Amino acid sequence: MNDTGTSLSYTPKITHFSGSEAHMSNEAFTPFVVGVQTIRGDFAIAHQPEIAVLSKGMKINVQPLVVDKDKLNIRCRITTSEIHKVKSTNLPGMNVTVQTPHASRNAISARCTVSPGQTLLIVAPKGDGKVFYYAVTSKWWPVQDAADGQENLNN
């Protein structure tokens, strides 16, 4: 099947402790000259660019919290951003061109409790008719604490 509207993206497998937050991103950052500041000196005038940096791509934040040996509370936030087009404009009375980027950012947050072996599926429809699916799978196991012999839960 050759569907040009389908793409797959994989995030890395991470291991961290209960309650800690993990951040993963696949983003490109692009600088734009969005304005200028005129600087006047004793003998010359200069135009210093004002720069804005926009991102394009995907960012995922995940925070698992072990409730007990059979329950894991997952907080997840997925943010996607796009730069659609950039318009260039010449400033009147100056030989300076500035850029006006048109961008969008979409974010979806989810929080749920899962059991071992379950997967959190997040469906994120976009305005252009595309739908993105994100799957968050967790695995956690008890760890014996050598100091006191107690069983602690880590994920």
Side-chain angles (χ1 to χ4, degrees):
M1 182 169 134
N2 187 8
D3 183 0
T4 58
T6 301
S7 65
L8 295 174
S9 177
Y10 297 93
T11 57
K13 179 179 178 180
I14 58 170
T15 301
H16 53 100
F17 294 103
S18 177
S20 65
E21 189 170 6
H23 308 276
M24 297 163 280
S25 67
N26 181 12
E27 296 178 285
F29 296 92
T30 306
F32 295 98
V33 178
V34 296
V36 293
Q37 186 177 55
T38 302
I39 300 173
R40 298 183 189 277
D42 292 335
F43 303 106
I45 295 175
H47 301 291
Q48 180 176 346
E50 294 177 4
I51 306 295
V53 179
L54 299 180
S55 66
K56 175 182 180 181
M58 178 177 59
K59 187 170 31 174
I60 300 174
N61 298 344
V62 178
Q63 184 180 27
L65 179 64
V66 175
V67 177
D68 61 35
K69 67 178 184 162
D70 294 322
K71 291 181 185 168
L72 179 71
N73 188 334
I74 299 176
R75 286 184 12 188
C76 182
R77 180 176 177 87
I78 300 170
T79 305
T80 58
S81 55
E82 294 183 45
I83 300 170
H84 302 286
K85 64 181 178 177
V86 180
K87 182 180 175 184
S88 296
T89 305
N90 292 323
L91 295 180
M94 296 185 211
N95 189 17
V96 176
T97 301
V98 295
Q99 301 166 303
T100 307
H102 295 273
S104 66
R105 176 172 287 154
N106 296 305
I108 187 166
S109 296
R111 182 177 178 175
C112 72
T113 302
V114 295
S115 297
Q118 291 183 325
T119 298
L120 170 62
L121 179 64
I122 300 172
V123 180
K126 294 188 61 176
D128 58 3
K130 293 180 183 177
V131 177
F132 288 91
Y133 298 91
Y134 302 98
V136 179
T137 303
S138 295
K139 178 173 128 178
W140 67 97
W141 58 92
V143 175
Q144 190 76 23
D145 188 352
D148 59 12
Q150 294 289 325
E151 188 176 82
N152 296 316
L153 295 173
N154 289 320
N155 58 325

